């Protein structure tokens, strides 16, 4: 397998990340935040500049963006809530939200325990994700926030990819590379 | 709802006691979203981390913020053992363990690109709660499989039977379910 890489820069941090073939002839740089403290901290610092001061809670989801939300929380003092991608045995009366994923053609489900959802009622929430691609996931996350009674005041992503026109604040564009 | 009071490195929490199977209830520690608790626990565990440790390894997903904070405080890199094989992984190494919270087989996967951080290294396992030790055993086998050496286990809590092979900040009992 070829291990071509592509440079991705956030602030002063550059990573030469592997290119993976997602479809025949289509390759995308694969970025992993988990395990990379330096990259996460750079992204957290940069995203916090766009965090509306009226934000009460950060809202993120499993798995990779958790460390980003934790770092932003640690730096800003704002608490965060994690929406799960699987039902946990202890959940009571959870909010269950389907993800519409046109590109992958698979359905996914988000879960938020009612005890977590209660914290968001009447609060200003900023969504935090690692990458916005088709937008299906962050739109589902927004629906969870609204169903919990929160007001979404910002949509923050470390990376953006593709042609979607969603109103998202992001740090770096990830290209979709077509091989001849 | 029944709760169990804990004091973790000076941070007090009332953990909900929840039934996870027939005849078993546990005090539920949730590190996800609890920045104050994670940072306090990471600080306390950083002071107990053996100096010889070169790499931290943590199972997805609840202990990931703890490993991130511990890595930031100590400068030691961390790797995440995933619960599923991802299509982009290169030469992944896997182990199957039985989870106490779900009772189901659980896969542990190390991406081949993380192997250089483990092979020939002294590795510390970082987890939120060590209970039966099944995850621990699986992680240890993963580490040894790729030529690393498990030199310490750090956790916020041990649970059930007390054990002295884990550096922990406290101990949780198991509970009878409420009738």
């Amino acid at each position: 397998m070829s291990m071509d890489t592509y440079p991705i820069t956030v602030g002063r941090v550059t990573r030469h990340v592997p290119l993976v073939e997602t479809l025949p002839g289509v390759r995308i740089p694969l970025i992993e935040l988990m395990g990379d403290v330096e990259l996460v901290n750079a992204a957290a610092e940069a995203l916090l500049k766009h965090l509306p001061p009226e934000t009460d809670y950060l809202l993120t989801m499993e798995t990779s963006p958790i460390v980003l939300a934790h770092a932003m929380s640690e730096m800003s003092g704002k608490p965060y809530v994690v929406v799960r991608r699987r039902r946990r045995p202890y959940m009571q009366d959870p909010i269950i939200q389907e993800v519409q994923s046109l590109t992958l053609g698979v359905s996914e489900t988000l879960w938020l325990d009612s005890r977590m959802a209660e914290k968001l009622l009447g609060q200003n929430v900023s969504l935090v994700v690692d990458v916005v691609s088709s937008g299906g996931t962050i739109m589902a996350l927004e629906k969870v926030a609204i169903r919990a009674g929160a007001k979404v005041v910002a949509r923050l992503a470390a990376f953006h990819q593709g042609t979607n026109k969603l109103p998202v604040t992001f740090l770096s564009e990830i290209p979709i590379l077509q091989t001849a | 709802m029944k709760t169990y009071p804990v004091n973790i490195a000076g941070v007090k929490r009332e953990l909900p006691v929840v039934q996870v199977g027939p005849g078993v209830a546990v005090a539920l520690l949730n590190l996800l979203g609890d920045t104050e608790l994670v940072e306090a626990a990471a600080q306390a565990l950083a002071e107990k981390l053996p100096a010889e440790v070169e790499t931290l390894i943590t199972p997805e997903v609840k202990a990931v913020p703890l490993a991130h904070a511990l890595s930031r405080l100590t400068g030691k890199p961390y790797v995440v053992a995933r619960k599923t094989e991802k299509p982009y992984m290169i030469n992944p190494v896997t182990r199957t363990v039985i989870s106490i919270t779900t009772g189901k087989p659980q896969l542990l996967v190390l991406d081949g690109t993380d192997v250089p951080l483990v092979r020939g290294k002294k590795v510390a396992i970082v987890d939120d709660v060590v209970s039966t030790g099944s995850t621990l055993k699986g992680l240890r086998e993963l580490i040894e499989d790729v030529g690393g050496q498990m030199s310490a286990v750090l956790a916020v809590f041990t649970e059930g039977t007390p054990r002295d092979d884990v550096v922990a900040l406290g101990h949780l009992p198991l509970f009878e379910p409420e009738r």
Side-chain angles (χ1 to χ4, degrees), chain B residues 1 4 8 20 30 32 42 66 71 77 80 85 88 90 109-110 116 121-122 134 141-142 152-153 166 179:
Chain B
M1 182 181 41
Y4 183 75
I8 303 154
V20 292
N30 190 4
L32 298 181
L66 179 66
S71 173
V80 178
E85 258 187 62
Y88 54 78
I90 297 157
V109 187
L110 190 62
K121 306 285 188 190
K122 293 187 169 62
S134 62
E141 287 171 3
L142 265 188
V153 181
V166 176
R179 290 170 194 282

Side-chain angles (χ1 to χ4, degrees), chain B:
Chain B
M1 182 181 41
K2 188 178 171 185
T3 61
Y4 183 75
V6 294
N7 184 329
I8 303 154
V11 178
K12 291 177 182 170
R13 291 289 181 267
E14 293 282 336
L15 305 184
V17 175
V18 299
Q19 187 168 349
V20 292
V24 190
V26 299
L28 192 70
L29 175 71
N30 190 4
L31 297 181
L32 298 181
D34 198 336
T35 309
E36 183 191 15
L37 181 56
V38 166
E39 290 295 323
Q43 191 77 54
L45 288 174
E47 289 163 16
K48 294 169 185 273
L49 183 71
E52 59 172 21
V53 167
E54 296 167 282
T55 298
L56 312 173
I57 186 168
T58 193
E60 181 182 348
V61 61
K62 282 203 306 177
V64 169
L66 179 66
H68 170 90
L70 195 54
S71 173
R72 195 192 75 235
L73 291 169
T74 62
K76 319 259 189 195
Y78 79 98
V79 299
V80 178
R82 306 298 302 262
K83 286 181 174 173
T84 52
E85 258 187 62
K86 309 291 177 189
Y88 54 78
M89 284 181 173
I90 297 157
N91 301 324
V93 186
T94 65
R95 271 282 172 274
T96 303
V97 300
I98 304 294
S99 158
I100 186 191
T101 37
T102 63
K104 290 174 186 160
Q106 177 63 66
L107 201 62
L108 291 170
V109 187
L110 190 62
D111 191 348
T113 56
D114 286 330
V115 167
L117 286 170
V118 178
R119 178 178 292 142
K121 306 285 188 190
K122 293 187 169 62
V123 180
I125 293 170
V126 179
D127 207 347
D128 55 346
V129 178
V130 174
S131 189
T132 61
S134 62
T135 304
L136 209 63
K137 183 167 173 290
L139 283 174
R140 179 180 193 147
E141 287 171 3
L142 265 188
I143 293 166
E144 290 172 352
D145 248 22
V146 301
Q149 180 193 338
M150 187 194 82
S151 69
V153 181
L154 286 82
V156 180
F157 287 115
T158 51
E159 182 178 60
T161 311
R163 49 196 305 159
D164 56 11
D165 58 340
V166 176
V167 177
L169 303 175
H171 181 77
L172 297 174
L174 292 173
F175 299 83
E176 297 277 326
E178 286 184 87
R179 290 170 194 282

Side-chain angles (χ1 to χ4, degrees), chain A residues 26-41:
Chain A
V26 178
R27 297 192 303 167
I28 59 166
L30 181 76
I31 302 166
E32 181 54 79
L33 292 179
M34 286 199 303
D36 196 335
V37 173
E38 205 186 10
L39 183 64
V40 166
N41 283 349

